[in-house]
Amino acid sequence: MTATDLPASLISTLPGQYYTDPAIFSLEQTRVFETMWFCAVRSADLPTPGSFQKVQVGRESVLVVRSRDGQLRAFLNICRHRGAQICTEDSGEVKRAFQCPYHAWTYDLEGKLIAAPNLTKMPDVDRVQYGLVPVHLREWLGYAWLCLAAEPPSFEDDVMGAIAERLGDLEAIERYELDSLSVGRRITYDVQANWKLIIENFMECYHCATIHPELTEVLPEFADGYAAQYYVGHGAEFGEDVQGFTVDGSEGFDKLPGVADDQDRRYYAITVRPTVFVNLVPDHVIVHRMFPISADRTIVECDWLYTREVVDSGKDVSRSVELFHRVNEQDFAACERTQPAMSSRAYANGGVLVPSEHHIGEFHDWLTQRLAD
């Protein structure tokens, strides 16, 4: 059956090869992950000069480091001499410099080449030109966002614009003051599924009544199959007897100081392309960062953010963490159940989207356009 043969209620999905073909995944690395703004690191995870994290963005290993002046900087994790990786550890701290373990070329925290065996005998070597290759970095919402493109796209349009488009304006998210919140819990999930299956799952709630019993108890309207982000500015309202966004609907914490009355007792879901989810509830925020590893594997880091007072006081956050942790496990299991079918002849031409999922079609159009450009 072709797209023209479909009933008016249904539209086609991407063909199955988009979720399995290594060549398509390679194209996504070059035209999506390596050209767009990529949410990489929680800024507070690098508290002091010399703190660093290694992250994978597309095909590139990137070092994000707190420099001597207190600013975050990012560099390709490649020695300019013979190409060895500068750091193999995922994170850590250096005192003043990074030294390549192969030939001891040494770089300061601003990326400048400061030492190497016999370097003084090579006065024609420009130490800035042969320093680490910088990567564009912007900080927003308490995270460092990276872009590998030589000329990055507008951060205001692509990142801020995506959130403003979803919520109606930027002021709506600024009230949650994400940059002042602290990580109360972080869970890393190794999902054996293509990154797009995870995106598509998050964007719709047609599945919610089937696999999310705890979530639909807290957010009853989700049982009707319409996702919160289906409507601009809409937040799903808590159930009448629900006291907080917790696994059993019991009371959570005090409302975040800046949250407006019309945002209270509501849940807002936001997708920032290519690989970020932001979930807003009155007393905390949940941020998902995805790191696509291959056509059938994605690492997802999920942060639960609370006020510093809640985290520093050691208050029990387990009931609010447990709610979305269950949602994550339920969603990722569904994605892993779907991934094997992407290579089936039954899915060679793709599947279909029902009306409440039609907005996912726009995501597909966006992706195929980027891959074609």
Side-chain angles (χ1 to χ4, degrees), residues 81-333:
H81 172 221
R82 296 270 296 284
Q85 281 204 349
I86 301 292
C87 288
T88 55
E89 304 89 352
D90 289 337
S91 62
E93 186 172 334
V94 295
K95 288 185 177 180
R96 293 181 177 274
F98 293 101
Q99 185 175 85
C100 177
Y102 193 5
H103 296 96
W105 278 40
T106 305
Y107 307 87
D108 67 17
L109 302 183
E110 285 72 44
K112 180 181 177 182
L113 176 65
I114 57 173
N118 306 317
L119 184 60
T120 56
K121 297 179 181 178
M122 298 177 279
D124 57 332
V125 174
D126 186 309
R127 298 188 181 203
V128 174
Q129 182 182 354
Y130 283 89
L132 298 176
V133 176
V135 172
H136 298 284
L137 184 151
R138 287 283 299 267
E139 287 188 79
W140 192 51
L141 304 179
Y143 288 87
W145 303 68
L146 309 178
C147 184
L148 296 177
E151 295 293 333
S154 167
F155 188 86
E156 288 71 20
D157 290 346
D158 282 15
V159 178
M160 294 179 171
I163 290 180
E165 182 180 1
R166 164 67 185 95
L167 297 179
D169 56 50
L170 278 181
E171 184 183 352
I173 196 168
E174 288 167 353
R175 296 187 189 123
Y176 291 83
E177 300 177 353
L178 269 75
D179 55 349
S180 72
L181 302 181
S182 295
V183 177
R185 187 75 57 84
R186 172 174 293 153
I187 299 177
T188 300
Y189 305 86
D190 192 338
V191 186
Q192 305 303 303
N194 185 274
W195 68 282
K196 295 185 294 297
L197 291 178
I198 301 173
I199 291 273
E200 294 160 9
N201 172 277
F202 185 75
M203 290 180 69
E204 54 91 0
C205 212
Y206 191 48
H207 68 277
C208 287
T210 308
I211 70 171
H212 294 321
E214 299 88 356
L215 186 64
T216 53
E217 281 291 319
V218 174
L219 304 173
E221 69 180 71
F222 275 13
D224 295 331
Y226 287 93
Q229 57 186 329
Y230 190 79
Y231 310 98
V232 174
H234 177 72
E237 192 169 2
F238 291 7
E240 205 171 299
D241 299 325
V242 170
Q243 295 178 284
F245 196 75
T246 58
V247 69
D248 55 4
S250 59
E251 188 175 2
F253 303 105
D254 292 340
K255 185 176 68 173
L256 297 172
V259 171
D261 289 342
D262 63 355
Q263 294 172 308
D264 197 9
R265 295 182 56 77
R266 287 187 178 273
Y267 162 80
Y268 299 86
I270 308 161
T271 302
V272 182
R273 295 170 184 166
T275 53
V276 177
F277 305 148
V278 182
N279 308 271
L280 307 172
V281 293
D283 64 336
H284 65 283
V285 175
I286 307 158
V287 178
H288 296 71
R289 289 169 289 138
M290 285 187 289
F291 298 85
I293 303 300
S294 65
D296 58 1
R297 183 181 174 215
T298 308
I299 301 297
V300 184
E301 283 196 358
C302 188
D303 290 345
W304 282 260
L305 308 175
Y306 302 85
T307 63
R308 288 192 181 121
E309 178 201 5
V310 167
V311 175
D312 292 347
S313 66
K315 291 182 179 177
D316 183 9
V317 300
S318 60
R319 285 179 296 111
S320 55
V321 169
E322 182 62 24
L323 175 56
F324 227 89
H325 174 53
R326 291 193 192 183
V327 171
N328 285 339
E329 290 191 318
Q330 292 155 353
D331 280 339
F332 299 156

